[in-house]
Amino acid sequence: LARSRQSPGDAPATVTHVKPHGALNNLACVDAAVAAAIARAVVGVDKSLIMLAPASSELLHEAEAAGLCTASEVFADRQYMADGNLAPRSMEGSVIHDPAEAVEHALRLASGQPVKAMDTGEEVVLRADSICVHGDKPSAVEQARGVRDALLAEGFTLCTLPELMSSAD
């Protein structure tokens, strides 16, 4: 038995987007068949849901091919490979711990400026509709605040994914 977390009189929650997490997301980023299966499942549940998928990933491509509205996610606290995928956490320096470095990285990504690929040193430009800061490190809250404040100071507007997608139409 589960109790509702809603208070009496609260409006029901509305699901607006899907974001696979963890190992499933990592696999869907590089495996088109897994990405296509996830996209088909989302379409089968509700074609109006937004797929939030990592930039340049197979998941983003397959969701677009399935006709889903997509939002491309970048990460303020992670480095990238030349193919646009995240550098594996096992690579030294792939996780950005320094809040100032995360802010600079996020601003480059949000502005469409290139970031340097860890594997080749090439410049990579990624579509940034949404910016994530992972919450699994001690600097996460400071990074998130710094990224938010820097984006606002640079004239970006923070909004929900549905607001972003409706403004893109």
Side-chain angles (χ1 to χ4, degrees):
L1 234 56
R3 291 184 196 198
S4 171
R5 293 180 191 232
Q6 286 182 278
S7 300
D10 282 353
T14 301
V15 176
T16 61
H17 64 280
V18 175
K19 178 182 175 179
H21 186 72
L24 178 62
N25 191 54
N26 293 340
L27 184 58
C29 284
V30 296
D31 187 321
V34 172
I38 292 169
R40 282 192 311 273
V42 172
V43 167
V45 170
D46 183 349
K47 190 173 168 110
S48 73
L49 291 171
I50 300 164
M51 176 68 77
L52 179 59
S56 296
S57 68
E58 289 296 330
L59 182 57
L60 187 68
H61 299 303
E62 292 297 330
E64 289 168 344
L68 290 168
C69 182
T70 62
S72 178
E73 181 177 46
V74 296
F75 297 83
D77 56 355
R78 293 290 302 280
Q79 299 287 358
Y80 285 89
M81 304 295 274
D83 66 2
N85 282 303
L86 290 174
R89 285 180 179 256
S90 60
M91 286 183 75
E92 180 73 27
S94 66
V95 177
I96 299 170
H97 295 282
D98 177 45
E101 187 180 344
V103 165
E104 180 182 332
H105 192 63
L107 286 174
R108 291 188 69 75
L109 290 164
S111 300
Q113 296 176 11
V115 294
K116 200 165 278 216
M118 283 195 76
D119 53 342
T120 65
E122 293 176 52
E123 292 189 332
V124 179
V125 176
L126 301 165
R127 183 178 120 207
D129 298 321
S130 177
I131 300 177
C132 177
V133 175
H134 288 93
D136 60 351
K137 59 192 174 313
S139 59
V141 172
E142 187 178 354
Q143 284 183 349
R145 282 188 185 127
V147 167
R148 178 202 60 210
D149 293 348
L151 288 169
L152 291 172
E154 289 294 317
F156 287 92
T157 301
L158 305 185
C159 62
T160 66
L161 286 178
E163 290 169 337
L164 177 68
M165 296 298 108
S166 69
S167 71
D169 293 340

